[in-house]
Amino acid sequence: MTNNESGFVLIVDDTPTNLAVISEALSDAGFETAVATSGERALKQIDRRSPDLILLDVMMPGIDGFELCRRLKADPLHQEVPIIFMTALADVNSKVQGFELGAVDYITKPFQEREVLARVGTHLNLKATQEKLKQSEARLETILNSLDEIVWSAKLQPFQFIHINPVVEKVCGIPAQTLLENSAPWLNNIHPEDLERITQLFLNPQHQQRIVAEYRLKDAQGEIRWLKTKAKIRFCENQQQFIADGITHDISERKQAESQLHYTACHDDLTGLVNRSYFIQAVDQVLTQQTQERFAVLFIDLDRFKTVNDSLGHHRGDQLLIKIAKILSQSVRPVDVVARLGGDEFTILLRNLCDDDEVQVIIGRLQQKLETSFELDENITVAMSASIGVVVGSSKYSSALDLLRDADIAMYQAKKLGKACHQLFSEDMYETALKKINLEKDMRLALRHCQEHRSELTVGEVEGAGSNQAQEPSGSKLEFMLYYQPIFALSHLALIGFEALARWHHPTMGMISPAEFIPLAEETGLIVPMGEEILRQALAQLQDWQTRYPSWSKLTMSINLSSRQLQDPDFLAMVDQAVLDYGIHPSSIKLEITESLLMQGGEAGFAILNELRARGFSLSLDDFGTGYSSLSYLHRFPINTLKIDRSFVQKLEPGVSSFEIVRTITELARSLRMDVIAEGVETTQQSDHLKSLDCEMVQGYFFSKPLAPSAADEYLAEIQAKLMLAKDSSEFQGAQAEHLKMLTEDISEEGDIAAAA
Ligand code: C2E
Ligand code: CA
Ligand code: CA
């Protein structure tokens, strides 16, 4: 015992000498002391100040030691105060009774001072330690109770909580106490899909094993909660048991956010169908599975959707897409996957097919359901149909993207067959598609070369293009260039202009017909830059001729336009800039458009045609008679010239229907104050018939094939010379016609594309 002992000790004894001796000894040892000579005095003293320890004599008059002890142990305020009895050496009974009453120790009289100090010191220390422990337990309890996490310990064999904080009730609705008595409700509420996995984790416990798991638990309201548990297992020697200590917290919110994110990442906002990336994953999954499952991918594209969207507005377009999505989902089985790729493109993965016929049945059902009228808001109904491409899954596919590509190719073929068709993918479709893709690539490249070549020419060079001898303004080395087919006034066979016809000299494939590459350019949108290139080449050529051959200052240039070009918002500005750059008056330019452009162009197209007319351009209606035969609409459009399609011209014989058609067209044109040109004139008879029908202008192999720029230039130069020599106009006409014949026979076939004609 050292001198720095501390503690407040109450000594109770009815023998004052005892009190004095002990009190002195304790004070000397550094303890604080108080004394009481009876039980009654002791109680008063204790009420004033609770001691840290009591040394209590047993035998006292009045309230004796045992009675005092009994009272203190019953009083919650003082029951923790350790009591040491002081008793006579032989008095075994009172020792036993003292311990039974809750005393911590006894001291035998007569006192040994060192023993008293030792015992008092020990018990005070013990009390202090117990107090500290209690405090830290209370602290721990407060912490545990204030946590959001469930902190627990459990025996594992079988599973039974031995500790769990009250938070558990907040999380799962079961009071901690209930779970401590019986942990079965906890296990019973684990989601059946997770239970097996979770029990497996605790099945073969190892000392120091760490466990992390996420699982679902049904709470008291029957709602599913996501929990995350981190636990560590230890072997408890005392209990000969594995015990897990863990922390579990509610991650429901995080899981919900995650699944929300996952949903958005996989779904199409508008229709709620899964999106492209999800679809690709789903197909890839089927491709990688080991089973020989029969499956197919459908690529569905709505017919005419663009028209609905453009004419009725995006809002109704969206409405329609939602309805279509619903129909598609309802037409397949739960195992199938329906996705929206974007726009009006949908895909379906058909799974677990019995045979190939089943695909046909499903497609038949789909097309039938889609081919109904859809009611949109404000009583608007639209008729719909879809083109469907089909690929049947096979071992040759290793990637979903390949399947999707082939389904797309097949859909494209279906579209070509007309509306509401479907096509099964075949290898040669792939070849064709590949060819097209390559052609498109080459076309872009060729176009870029053209554009680069033009930008290399300074404005000065463009202006000076007419200064010297015959040349091709845009360079003969270009892949894309124009040939020029002469156009004549039929009455006196005078040259009045040329039609510019696009040519593609492909470096390896040779000459490619405009009938082949113009549609591809239209499809890909390349027609817009290509159209500008064509216009500029034609204008440059015209400028060259008009300056070099003053007699031809009225020479016109006919240029073909695609409807796609007119849809381009910059079209007018582009045309304005081009005529400005080459100093060409719009009246020298005839723009050839088709009937379909008139019919589909809508109000916007109509406005652009008027704008062009207002600038002085002439408008010719190309291939007239083959299209929509919208004769009744014709007067509404600002057209100058009807160009009779060569199919009528070539069957031109009196008595046959073509003859009457051509007659009707010329009469119609006259009544609408339009003039008429016939294309594709190949024989004297055709020319004569046209003359008899008062057709003003002609164009065709009979007069001249389309000429390369150099040949056209040579032709103009010759006529110019003849014109200067000619004594009168009929002599000139004769000379001109003769020259033309010569030229037509001379010219290599290179520039003409018989196949396309
Ligand atoms: P198109 O505008 O109807 O052009 C007339 C086509 O008939 C030209 O074919 C021409 O070579 C051919 N042809 C001329 N005279 C005769 C004849 O007596 N008999 C026969 N059988 N054919 C004759 P080409 O040059 O192959 O052009 C085909 C089509 O390609 C053009 O038809 C036009 O629709 C389109 N096209 C050509 N160049 C352009 C262009 O620069 N822009 C646009 N958008 N389309 C063009
Ligand atoms: Ca034409
Ligand atoms: Ca034509």
Side-chain angles (χ1 to χ4, degrees):
M1 184 84 357
T2 54
N3 269 351
N4 48 19
E5 289 297 343
S6 65
F8 174 44
V9 181
L10 174 65
I11 312 151
V12 188
D13 200 322
D14 57 336
T15 316
T17 37
N18 282 350
L19 288 177
V21 171
I22 298 175
S23 176
E24 196 185 325
L26 289 175
S27 298
D28 286 352
F31 295 104
E32 215 185 322
T33 58
V35 294
T37 49
S38 69
E40 289 79 355
R41 281 167 193 265
L43 280 173
K44 281 198 186 111
Q45 168 67 40
I46 291 166
D47 272 343
R48 269 203 303 277
R49 183 178 170 195
S50 187
D52 295 316
L53 186 130
I54 302 172
L55 285 173
L56 185 55
D57 184 24
V58 178
M59 305 289 277
M60 287 184 295
I63 299 175
D64 68 1
F66 289 145
E67 177 55 24
L68 182 60
C69 180
R70 205 174 285 120
R71 288 197 194 181
L72 289 177
K73 290 297 160 192
D75 181 348
L77 270 181
H78 307 297
Q79 61 190 190
E80 303 292 335
V81 181
I83 295 172
I84 300 176
F85 278 114
M86 300 182 284
T87 143
L89 187 59
D91 192 2
V92 177
N93 274 344
S94 54
K95 282 179 194 165
V96 172
Q97 198 182 351
F99 280 126
E100 279 171 359
L101 283 173
V104 291
D105 211 346
Y106 62 90
I107 301 171
T108 323
K109 297 179 185 174
F111 308 117
Q112 295 293 315
E113 189 181 317
R114 283 180 48 209
E115 186 192 354
V116 174
L117 287 179
R119 289 190 192 266
V120 167
T122 304
H123 286 288
L124 277 173
N125 269 342
L126 199 62
K127 194 199 171 211
T129 310
Q130 275 170 349
E131 219 134 67
K132 264 191 209 147
L133 191 67
K134 228 192 237 156
Q135 276 169 11
S136 87
E137 264 180 0
R139 238 189 345 261
L140 188 64
E141 185 81 13
T142 321
I143 292 172
L144 287 182
N145 292 355
S146 66
L147 282 178
D148 286 332
E149 284 82 13
I150 305 172
V151 181
W152 53 270
S153 296
K155 293 194 234 172
L156 294 183
Q157 290 156 328
F159 188 87
Q160 173 61 49
F161 288 114
I162 48 181
H163 170 84
I164 192 159
N165 59 346
V167 185
V168 70
E169 186 168 359
K170 249 198 326 203
V171 175
C172 76
I174 308 173
Q177 196 49 45
T178 313
L179 289 170
L180 287 171
E181 283 154 20
N182 176 13
S183 302
W186 182 268
L187 298 177
N188 292 344
N189 283 349
I190 293 181
H191 196 287
E193 282 171 24
D194 298 336
L195 185 60
E196 160 95 9
R197 180 169 52 89
I198 297 299
T199 33
Q200 283 290 335
L201 281 177
F202 292 96
L203 214 56
N204 293 309
Q206 306 283 327
H207 186 61
Q208 300 287 15
Q209 181 188 354
R210 283 178 189 280
I211 283 172
V212 178
E214 293 184 357
Y215 60 100
R216 287 159 292 176
L217 188 88
K218 204 164 60 185
D219 69 11
Q221 281 78 44
E223 302 243 349
I224 298 291
R225 301 266 193 150
W226 268 101
L227 302 181
K228 178 171 185 164
T229 285
K230 283 185 186 172
K232 194 169 173 188
I233 296 175
R234 63 187 154 96
F235 187 73
C236 176
E237 297 287 348
N238 282 349
Q239 307 194 34
Q240 283 298 301
Q241 257 269 27
F242 280 105
I243 302 234
D245 304 305
I247 289 188
T248 297
H249 63 278
D250 189 338
I251 53 165
S252 304
E253 269 178 33
R254 191 197 87 202
K255 280 284 176 184
Q256 204 189 340
E258 268 175 19
S259 75
Q260 187 66 42
L261 270 179
H262 183 69
Y263 183 90
T264 339
C266 293
H267 285 76
D268 165 46
D269 276 351
L270 180 67
T271 60
L273 294 179
V274 299
N275 61 14
R276 181 189 169 87
S277 70
Y278 182 96
F279 188 81
I280 288 171
Q281 269 177 37
V283 175
D284 272 332
Q285 223 163 49
V286 177
L287 285 174
T288 48
Q289 72 191 1
Q290 292 309 308
T291 56
Q292 297 291 305
E293 179 184 332
R294 202 187 283 261
F295 69 97
V297 169
L298 308 187
F299 199 111
I300 301 170
D301 187 285
L302 303 182
D303 303 325
R304 284 181 245 100
F305 177 74
K306 195 177 158 3
T307 321
V308 173
N309 213 32
D310 290 351
S311 56
L312 298 180
H314 287 232
H315 165 62
R316 298 217 179 78
D318 285 355
Q319 269 189 331
L320 185 63
L321 290 173
I322 292 169
K323 294 203 172 208
I324 301 269
K326 210 167 184 181
I327 287 194
L328 294 180
S329 316
Q330 286 167 351
S331 308
V332 297
R333 304 149 306 161
V335 283
D336 303 329
V337 181
V338 182
R340 177 173 172 233
L341 294 198
D344 60 340
E345 289 179 348
F346 296 86
T347 47
I348 299 182
L349 167 64
L350 296 173
R351 301 195 51 180
N352 295 331
L353 296 166
C354 306
D355 50 39
D356 292 347
D357 290 345
E358 205 179 345
V359 181
Q360 300 289 341
V361 172
I362 296 174
I363 290 174
R365 193 164 65 215
L366 277 174
Q367 268 170 337
Q368 191 198 347
K369 285 200 182 174
L370 286 174
E371 244 178 289
T372 44
S373 317
F374 289 87
E375 247 186 66
L376 307 179
D377 61 2
E378 291 165 26
N379 291 329
I380 294 177
T381 22
V382 288
M384 258 299 134
S385 62
S387 304
I388 304 180
V390 189
V391 184
V392 175
S394 77
S395 55
K396 79 164 210 206
Y397 288 106
S398 57
S399 144
L401 290 175
D402 292 349
L403 269 154
L404 219 56
R405 175 201 64 209
D406 289 352
D408 189 5
I409 291 172
M411 185 282 292
Y412 189 79
Q413 287 301 313
K415 198 132 261 195
K416 268 193 175 168
L417 288 180
K419 314 278 179 211
C421 287
H422 73 270
Q423 275 288 292
L424 193 67
F425 174 77
S426 67
E427 275 314 313
D428 43 318
M429 274 184 199
Y430 178 70
E431 294 302 321
T432 318
L434 199 65
K435 224 175 104 189
K436 220 173 86 177
I437 289 168
N438 284 330
L439 210 60
E440 184 191 333
K441 204 174 68 212
D442 294 348
M443 191 156 64
R444 282 182 197 279
L445 207 66
L447 187 61
R448 216 179 43 236
H449 289 158
C450 267
Q451 288 164 334
E452 281 164 6
H453 178 82
R454 181 160 49 76
S455 68
E456 276 165 19
L457 295 174
T458 61
V459 175
E461 277 177 279
V462 172
E463 278 168 354
S467 57
N468 41 41
Q469 86 289 26
Q471 57 164 272
E472 288 148 28
S474 291
S476 53
K477 55 182 182 286
L478 286 178
E479 279 184 54
F480 277 120
M481 56 185 302
L482 292 173
Y483 270 45
Y484 298 95
Q485 187 173 37
I487 295 172
F488 298 94
L490 187 52
S491 58
H492 52 292
L493 275 190
L495 177 76
I496 47 178
F498 290 93
E499 178 178 2
L501 292 159
R503 295 292 179 263
W504 183 5
H505 297 277
H506 190 280
T508 56
M509 287 189 274
M511 191 72 144
I512 299 173
S513 161
E516 203 173 318
F517 70 82
I518 294 283
L520 182 59
E522 286 172 341
E523 204 179 292
T524 53
L526 272 179
I527 191 69
V528 173
M530 184 185 287
E532 176 173 1
E533 204 49 45
I534 286 167
L535 178 71
R536 284 182 172 273
Q537 277 193 25
L539 292 178
Q541 183 63 79
L542 187 63
Q543 183 206 41
D544 176 44
W545 285 334
Q546 283 183 348
T547 34
R548 281 199 294 131
Y549 307 113
S551 343
W552 302 113
S553 61
K554 290 232 156 42
L555 205 64
T556 61
M557 185 66 83
S558 298
I559 297 164
N560 294 285
L561 290 184
S562 293
S563 52
R564 263 303 277 272
Q565 287 175 268
L566 270 85
Q567 284 162 12
D568 179 44
D570 299 331
F571 177 72
L572 277 176
M574 183 278 284
V575 173
D576 287 343
Q577 188 59 49
V579 287
L580 203 68
D581 285 351
Y582 296 98
I584 297 290
H585 192 270
S587 61
S588 319
I589 305 297
K590 295 186 173 201
L591 299 173
E592 299 200 354
I593 57 172
T594 57
E595 278 175 280
S596 61
L597 188 151
L598 285 193
M599 294 298 110
Q600 292 163 9
E603 285 307 310
F606 187 64
I608 289 188
L609 295 183
N610 278 327
E611 286 285 336
L612 289 170
R613 272 301 296 276
R615 284 160 167 74
F617 292 99
S618 300
L619 298 177
S620 303
L621 202 51
D622 207 352
D623 305 339
F624 188 72
T626 56
Y628 289 64
S629 306
S630 53
L631 298 184
S632 54
Y633 278 66
L634 216 52
H635 68 276
R636 289 185 46 212
F637 295 102
I639 302 294
N640 305 79
T641 308
L642 296 184
K643 193 162 187 177
I644 304 171
D645 189 69
R646 69 169 178 269
S647 58
F648 301 111
V649 175
Q650 286 172 357
K651 286 181 274 178
L652 212 50
E653 274 172 55
V656 298
S657 64
S658 287
F659 195 87
E660 290 314 311
I661 291 173
V662 173
R663 184 203 297 283
T664 314
I665 294 174
T666 50
E667 281 167 5
L668 175 77
R670 248 187 299 284
S671 74
L672 293 172
R673 290 178 216 284
M674 296 176 183
D675 45 29
V676 178
I677 175 170
E679 65 177 354
V681 182
E682 291 181 352
T683 65
T684 328
Q685 288 91 327
Q686 288 164 4
S687 172
D688 290 346
H689 288 317
L690 287 165
K691 205 166 187 172
S692 76
L693 290 169
D694 284 336
C695 174
E696 284 103 347
M697 290 164 285
V698 285
Q699 178 185 353
Y701 294 173
F702 177 65
F703 303 99
S704 170
K705 291 195 169 179
L707 306 172
S710 55
D713 189 80
E714 196 183 310
Y715 171 54
L716 279 172
E718 290 270 351
I719 307 177
Q720 163 100 351
K722 295 259 165 57
L723 189 64
M724 298 214 219
L725 293 175
K727 287 188 275 315
D728 57 42
S729 67
S730 72
E731 194 183 320
F732 167 69
Q733 274 170 34
Q736 183 182 308
E738 199 180 297
H739 181 81
L740 255 176
K741 276 259 140 22
M742 243 170 57
L743 201 71
T744 307
E745 279 151 20
D746 276 2
I747 290 163
S748 72
E749 292 282 295
E750 183 205 4
D752 184 59
I753 302 160

